[in-house]
Amino acid sequence: MQNNVLILDFGSQYTQLIARRVRELNIYCEIKPFNNQPKDLSSYKAVILSGSPHSVRSEDAPHPDLSEIKGKKPLLGVCYGAQYLAQFFDGEVGQSNTREYGRAKLSMVEEGETFLEGVSTGSQVWMSHSDTIKKLPAGAKRIASTHDVENAGYKIEGEDTYGIQFHPEVYHSTDGKKILENFLVKIAGVAQTWTPDAFVDTTVADLKDKLGEDRVILGLSGGVDSTVAATLLHKAIGKNLYCIFVNNGLLRKDEFTQVLKQYEGMGLNVKGVDASARFLEALEGESDPETKRKAIGRVFVEVFDDESKLVENAKWLGQGTIYPDVIESVSATGGPSATIKSHHNVGGLPDYMTLEVVEPLRMLFKDEVRRVGASMGLSPELLGRHPFPGPGLAIRILGDITAEKVRILQEVDHIFISGLREWGLYDKVWQAGAMLLPVNSVGVMGDERTYEKCVALRAVESTDGMTADWVNLPYEFLQKVSNDIINKVKGVNRVVYDISSKPPATIEWE
């Protein structure tokens, strides 16, 4: 693929947003840690340097190798990237008199500059830094300013190298997407050929080439990711795909039978395996979230190892891993982004398992997975399903897991999700669920005092799961759901609603 864009990550919380904005332009891009960039850069037509929580003036400032990039390929430095190009190429960065954070307006925009075509004076941009460029790098000319930031944007003459001290990738930068389009399409000449149909064609061809006549086992969950992954693999290898849907005892109420029924008529070869007792036994007495995740991952792999032996000559394990899973599981030693939580389907397989891993969706964001699914004709109902965590209800039950706690949460979750559908709210929410808290509280039911569990309801809006806002559900709806839960679910006497956004909170509680 000759129309790639390389994004070098210096640890910014916004790096994934840069990738999303680039993908929205129908341009393929990849994020790589600054200290682990590809040795072969021939397939990249442009490079973007991300922001960073670090200062270019500090001793531990991240240092990329730009010897094969600067002056040789179109290069855009964003925030830290722009300051790095100044500090280490004969310019100067110093501490700003005022911390430059939040909204600002461009007070000067260089006329006739392709990079800023369609951007006018007064355009709003988003700042997020405490350093500022005091002196431009060698050969650079200023092309944009704000009231407080004189060198908000610059271009190095004789090169396709640009630097901006604001974030074009965030929605608060009104013309940010336009600036990225100017740089990538008009300056770098990147073709806008990254479409769902193109992804399907390329991926199916690659899978055919990679897998040949090999047999693949894939774990289905009933969710969007694994279903789209299965459909892509089925297109590539047909009958050589063996799908397994494992009941880990931590699914939603009646989900095991419903999901198996859902796959009828899709042409997939699906086998249901009820391993719920095995999972619950492995989780007995475990309260730590990471320990629970890893226990589930271990048993999941063991079940697959058992099932794979029943499929003669199986060589591959298919997984529905998507890009945010990969990004969130990067360790601090492997790149600048800190680990948020381990994902049960990222990180390979144990030595005793001989299957290789194939992940057709590994480079897609969630909304891209849905668009790819739609292009292959999957039903809107299936594609509209809310994300559900791989470890299931285990990470929505805070503390240790018991069969009784699972029963309680399944009933609570069923009332909440069914209510969202009945009230026409389900499709307005990106993800919803209930958490069973390790808290008992006093209540009164009839004339009796109760001392029972508290549950928290959670509903968020998002596009890709990287950031999320809580949904302002109608009070009347919350009142009805709360009443139904307390009256119908034995063991619960209190319901609360989570009004935290991501960041700083995560969508799941564990």
Side-chain angles (χ1 to χ4, degrees), residues 402-444:
T402 66
E404 175 62 9
K405 288 180 181 179
V406 173
R407 180 201 66 78
I408 289 172
L409 191 55
Q410 283 178 332
E411 295 295 337
V412 170
D413 177 85
H414 180 70
I415 290 170
F416 184 33
I417 299 301
S418 299
L420 288 171
R421 292 187 188 280
E422 289 165 13
W423 283 61
L425 296 167
Y426 186 86
D427 292 334
K428 297 175 182 176
V429 171
W430 192 75
Q431 185 170 349
M435 320 296 159
L436 183 64
L437 308 186
V439 173
N440 280 36
S441 68
V442 175
V444 178

Side-chain angles (χ1 to χ4, degrees), residues 32-110:
K32 301 289 183 183
F34 77 94
N35 55 0
N36 192 25
Q37 63 193 59
K39 291 182 174 62
D40 181 7
L41 298 171
S42 60
S43 65
Y44 299 102
K45 293 199 74 171
V47 179
I48 298 174
L49 307 180
S50 84
S52 174
H54 297 280
S55 166
V56 297
R57 299 181 295 116
S58 68
E59 289 184 8
D60 61 348
H63 286 276
D65 177 7
L66 299 180
S67 58
E68 295 302 313
I69 298 174
K70 186 177 177 295
K72 298 180 180 179
K73 290 182 181 288
L75 175 63
L76 170 61
V78 175
C79 232
Y80 178 91
Q83 293 175 357
Y84 184 90
L85 292 172
Q87 180 79 348
F88 297 101
F89 292 90
D90 299 326
E92 182 189 349
V93 173
Q95 188 165 9
S96 175
N97 295 330
T98 58
R99 187 162 184 269
E100 295 158 357
Y101 185 86
R103 293 173 177 82
K105 292 188 184 297
L106 294 179
S107 57
M108 186 280 282
V109 175
E110 180 75 10

Side-chain angles (χ1 to χ4, degrees), residues 27-28 35 95 131 179 291 311 348 382 390 400 408 436 456 476:
I27 293 172
Y28 181 71
N35 55 0
Q95 188 165 9
D131 287 348
I179 291 170
T291 305
V311 180
L382 193 153
D400 67 320
I408 289 172
L436 183 64
E476 295 82 5

Side-chain angles (χ1 to χ4, degrees), residues 294-372:
K294 284 171 181 170
I296 290 165
R298 174 178 54 78
V299 177
F300 187 76
V301 168
E302 288 172 0
V303 171
F304 259 80
D305 189 41
D306 292 345
E307 291 300 322
S308 69
K309 290 169 184 171
L310 303 177
V311 180
E312 197 175 342
N313 296 323
K315 292 186 179 179
W316 299 86
L317 174 65
Q319 291 189 324
T321 311
I322 64 173
Y323 210 18
D325 297 340
V326 177
I327 293 165
E328 289 195 358
S329 293
V330 172
S331 69
T333 54
S337 301
T339 297
I340 297 168
K341 63 183 71 161
S342 68
H343 285 266
H344 77 290
N345 57 346
V346 179
L349 299 168
D351 293 337
Y352 69 79
M353 198 168 179
T354 56
L355 296 177
E356 295 182 74
V357 175
V358 57
E359 299 167 312
L361 308 178
R362 187 178 176 86
M363 300 308 292
L364 294 187
F365 288 99
K366 190 77 178 188
D367 55 318
E368 293 175 320
V369 174
R370 286 194 167 104
R371 289 204 294 274
V372 165

